Amino acid sequence: MRSAQPVGIAGYGAYVPRLRVRTSDISNAWRPRGAIAPAVAEKSVPGPDEDVVTMSIEAARTALDRAGTELERIGAVWVGTESKPYAVKPSATIVAEALGITPHVVAADMEFACKAGSEAMQAAVAFVGSGMVEAALAIGMDTAQSKPGDALEYTAGCGGAAYLFAAAEDALAVVEASVSHVTDTPDFFRREGAAYPEHGGRFTGEPSYFRHTRAASRRLLEDVGAGPEDFAHAVFHQPVPKFVEKVASELGFTPAQIDTGLVARRMGNAYAGSSLLGLAAVLDVARPGDRIFFCSYGSGAGSDAFAFRVTGRIEARRAGAAVADYLDRRQVVDGYGRYLQLRGKVRRG
Amino acid sequence: MDLARYHRLRSAYYRLEGQRCTSCQAVQFPARTTCRICRARTLEPHRLSGRGTVYSHAEVGPAPRGFASPYLVALVQLEEGLLLTAQLTDVDPEDVMIGLPVEMVTRRIQEHGAQGYLVYGYKFRPILPRRKAS
C-alpha cells in the first residue's frame, strides 16, 4: 500500500518503565528445580503509578519534542494497546489532553492484540497521506497481562513507542510502502471481564506468528522490489527472541540486521509496543540513507509490514531519551511477591 | 478527588499549565483570576518547563484513601522560580536529597477503588540519565 502523498516519521519517542523482575524468580515459584532457563533473563514491570496512559504520554512528549511540529498541526492520535486502564473510556483523549493537542483532533484506542500499535501507524499514514490532517500520532504501548504460572508470565513485559507521521519533506524516515496481512486465527484472546488472556500454546507459533510475519514480509519485499540485503536493519514483533531469529533467518535477514531492534532480549515482550520499540532502537542509531524493514504481529491474527528510508534529518531529531537510556535505567524488584503486588495479581485482603 | 474538580484542573494536572501575566510577565501556578505580582487580570495560559530541583522532601507513611503508600512528597523549586508541592516517583527514599535535579512526568495520582475513575497528574522524578550522543 502507498499513500496518495508521500508520508514519513517526523518524530519518535520510546518508553520503558524502570522496574524489572528476574524471570528466575518467576521460575523458582512455578517450575521444578533444574528446569530450562526462561527465554529472557528479566522483563520490564510498570511502577505502581504507571499504566498505558502515563507511558504513552512520556513517549509521545519525546516524539513531539523531536519533531518540533506546532501542536495545532497534529490532527489525530491513536493509542494501540491491549491493556487499557479503562475497559470503556479512551486512553487517547487523556494522552491528547496531556500533550495539549485537544480539542480538534481525531482520537481513539486501537485494538488488535500486539498489532494495535502498527494498526495506528497504518491509520496515521493514511490520514496524513490523504491530506486530511497535517500530522498524526500513532502509539503502541502495553503493560502486558499474563496468568500467574503461565508460559507468558516469563516474557510479558511493558513499554512501547510513539511516532508522529507528517509529510515526507519533514520526515526523518520516509515510508516507502506498507502491507497488512490478516486472517481469523484464534491463537490468543481475552474475553470480556477475564483478567488474563488465554493462548493456544504451540498453536501460537507456526500457524500464527510465523505464517503471518512471513507472508506480510514477503509481500512487502515484492512490493518495494527489494531483497533482505537491501536493508540496514530489520525489526519484527518479539514474543521471544528465538521467534524473531527464526523468521528473520527464513526470510534471509542476517543476525546483524536484527540485533539492534531486538530489545526483547533485555526487557521481554512489550506486546503492542514491542515492534514499535524495536523500530525506535533502530532509529536511535540509523544513518541517513539506511533502509529499515519492519514487521509487526498481532494475535487474532495479522501482521503490518513497513519499509522505511532514513533521511538526513535523523541526526537532528534524536534529542532526549533513547531506548538504550530506558533499558539502562533499571531497578530489579525484590522477588516474585513484590512483582505480583505491582501487577495487581494479589491484593491486600 | 471530586470528579468535577479533577476535570476542571486537568490542564494544570496533566501538563503543568499555569499562567503568564501579559502586563508584568510574571508566571504563576496554579491559575487564578489576578496576577500575584501586579494584580492585573491580563493572564494567558502558560506551560511551565517542568524542570527544577528538590527544595525539601519527606516520606508519607500511612497515605490518605486512594493513594498508594508509602510515597515521597517534595517541594520542587522550578526553573521559573516557583515552589511546587508534588510527589516524587521512580526514586528510592535514600536517593532523594535537597538540590536533586528533577523533571515532571504525568502519572497516576489516585484510584477511586477498583471500579472507579483514575486521577492522573504531575509528579517529579530524577532526570533520566542519558548516554552521550554517539
Side-chain angles (χ1 to χ4, degrees):
Chain A
M1 299 185 284
R2 283 181 173 82
S3 51
Q5 281 124 44
V7 175
I9 297 167
Y12 71 102
Y15 188 76
V16 181
R18 171 180 178 245
L19 302 179
R20 305 283 184 277
V21 62
R22 285 197 190 93
T23 55
S24 56
D25 286 343
I26 304 172
S27 190
N28 288 343
W30 295 109
R31 288 184 177 176
R33 249 173 231 279
I36 54 156
V40 296
E42 58 184 36
K43 63 170 194 170
S44 55
V45 180
D49 60 356
E50 294 189 291
D51 60 26
V52 160
V53 165
T54 67
M55 293 159 61
S56 296
I57 291 169
E58 179 155 342
R61 278 187 179 139
T62 306
L64 266 49
D65 284 351
R66 285 173 173 169
T69 308
E70 294 87 3
L71 297 181
E72 56 275 14
R73 291 176 53 206
I74 302 170
V77 50
W78 292 288
V79 179
T81 181
E82 56 183 274
S83 46
K84 290 153 59 86
Y86 289 97
V88 177
K89 191 211 170 302
S91 310
T93 52
I94 312 173
V95 174
E97 197 81 60
L99 299 172
I101 60 176
T102 50
H104 295 295
V105 61
V106 177
D109 294 0
M110 294 276 188
E111 201 287 314
F112 195 140
C114 298
K115 187 171 101 71
S118 59
E119 197 73 47
M121 288 165 58
Q122 296 278 24
V125 170
F127 262 57
V128 176
S130 69
M132 274 179 70
V133 301
E134 282 187 71
L137 186 61
I139 301 171
M141 194 67 69
D142 255 317
T143 56
Q145 305 139 340
S146 56
K147 226 185 273 184
D150 187 79
L152 295 182
E153 198 177 32
Y154 296 89
T155 50
C158 306
Y163 292 89
L164 186 71
F165 286 86
E169 53 264 30
D170 183 38
L172 58 84
V174 172
V175 178
E176 294 184 39
S178 71
V179 159
S180 199
H181 177 100
V182 307
T183 69
D184 176 25
T185 308
D187 56 330
F188 172 102
F189 49 84
R190 179 165 66 84
R191 297 283 305 273
E192 180 76 35
Y196 303 111
E198 301 288 332
H199 61 89
R202 290 173 71 89
F203 188 68
T204 61
E206 194 45 48
S208 309
Y209 178 85
F210 292 107
R211 183 173 152 208
H212 293 84
T213 49
R214 257 194 320 253
S217 296
R218 286 193 174 130
R219 176 68 180 266
L220 180 67
L221 291 172
E222 213 172 282
D223 282 2
V224 296
E229 65 282 0
D230 297 318
F231 293 87
H233 300 277
V235 179
F236 293 89
H237 174 57
Q238 310 167 16
V240 285
K242 72 175 181 191
F243 270 36
V244 182
E245 288 154 9
K246 181 165 184 258
V247 73
S249 125
E250 281 177 15
L251 290 165
F253 291 100
T254 65
Q257 284 171 297
I258 58 168
D259 227 28
T260 309
L262 228 177
V263 292
R265 286 176 179 149
R266 293 188 65 188
M267 53 165 288
N269 176 10
Y271 284 48
S274 174
S275 51
L276 280 76
L277 200 51
L279 178 60
V282 163
L283 290 172
D284 283 343
V285 300
R287 287 194 285 260
D290 279 357
R291 289 174 85 183
I292 301 170
F293 188 89
F294 169 97
C295 183
S296 68
Y297 172 74
S299 292
S303 283
D304 291 308
F306 285 78
F308 297 100
R309 189 185 293 272
V310 178
T311 75
R313 287 178 204 87
I314 184 80
E315 271 134 19
R317 305 266 174 98
R318 282 186 187 139
V323 175
D325 297 325
Y326 286 110
L327 294 177
D328 289 349
R329 177 188 77 144
R330 45 185 283 288
Q331 169 87 13
V332 175
V333 300
D334 197 9
Y336 186 61
R338 174 66 175 143
Y339 161 77
L340 289 176
Q341 183 211 15
L342 278 166
R343 295 303 282 124
K345 293 178 178 188
V346 288
R347 288 185 180 268
R348 191 190 289 272
Chain B
M1 173 179 288
D2 173 68
L3 190 59
R5 179 175 153 80
Y6 170 45
H7 180 61
R8 219 164 39 236
L9 293 174
R10 66 192 186 282
S11 338
Y13 266 51
Y14 290 0
R15 52 179 196 262
L16 218 55
E17 190 175 284
Q19 293 167 315
R20 177 191 287 279
C21 172
T22 56
S23 305
C24 77
Q25 305 306 316
V27 170
Q28 61 189 20
F29 182 91
R32 59 201 95 176
T33 50
T34 56
C35 171
R36 69 189 165 99
I37 303 293
C38 74
R39 296 188 185 176
R41 286 169 181 263
T42 51
L43 298 162
E44 59 180 21
H46 177 78
R47 211 157 146 179
L48 301 176
S49 69
R51 287 183 301 271
T53 54
V54 170
Y55 179 85
S56 187
H57 60 93
E59 187 170 357
V60 176
R65 197 183 314 152
F67 290 86
S69 67
Y71 64 84
L72 294 163
V73 66
L75 284 168
V76 174
Q77 179 111 52
L78 294 176
E79 275 182 0
E80 291 88 344
L82 302 174
L83 207 53
L84 203 64
T85 307
Q87 283 189 38
L88 298 177
T89 187
D90 286 357
V91 65
D92 299 320
E94 57 274 21
D95 296 330
V96 182
M97 63 196 87
I98 289 167
L100 179 75
V102 289
E103 59 190 353
M104 184 276 251
V105 288
T106 308
R107 293 291 174 89
R108 263 193 205 192
I109 302 278
Q110 207 183 357
E111 185 185 22
H112 283 253
Q115 314 283 318
Y117 59 93
L118 302 164
V119 175
Y120 294 94
Y122 56 83
K123 290 189 181 183
F124 286 80
R125 69 153 179 229
I127 289 176
L128 196 86
R130 274 152 212 176
R131 284 183 185 179
K132 294 272 182 293
S134 49

